[in-house]
Amino acid sequence: MLEPSHNNELPAIPGKRYFTIGEVAELCAVKAHVLRYWEQEFPQLSPVKRRGNRRYYQRSDVITIRQIRSLLYDQGYTIGGAKQKLSSHEVKDDTSQYKQLIRQMISELEEVLEALNAPLH
């Protein structure tokens, strides 16, 4: 696996409602145990838990995790600093979140374009 700071281009988030911890780990380039730890540290992260205590993350959770990852790995914040930044109103102005959303929209639009251009059978 690449070091977190070397993996700035994360894969597009698929158009699903729920994601398993393994899927989120792959989408956000962090390990599952890191996600479980972040859940304890960041109140913004609260995946739905179903039978057997299995976690199911929603799209908004994945975006929040990518934000946390960016704050910690790319911008050099500590856990405490990242918590403070996420709980403040500054986070709404964070361009990294907007860039992620734009990349996601572009990817989804490209998928739609491919489907529209596909030959009919």
Side-chain angles (χ1 to χ4, degrees), residues 41-93:
E41 294 295 322
F42 296 93
Q44 297 88 342
L45 283 182
S46 56
V48 177
K49 289 189 180 172
R50 297 208 178 132
R51 65 179 182 266
N53 230 11
R54 292 183 142 235
R55 291 164 169 80
Y56 292 94
Y57 296 85
Q58 295 183 20
R59 176 181 294 272
S60 60
D61 294 320
V62 176
I63 291 170
T64 300
I65 291 166
R66 286 182 170 193
Q67 244 184 319
I68 293 168
R69 181 189 180 283
S70 174
L71 289 170
L72 296 174
Y73 296 164
D74 301 330
Q75 299 174 46
Y77 280 82
T78 61
I79 293 278
K83 274 189 207 180
Q84 210 170 18
K85 178 116 171 136
L86 278 177
S87 62
S88 74
H89 294 291
E90 287 177 54
V91 80
K92 293 187 178 16
D93 298 329

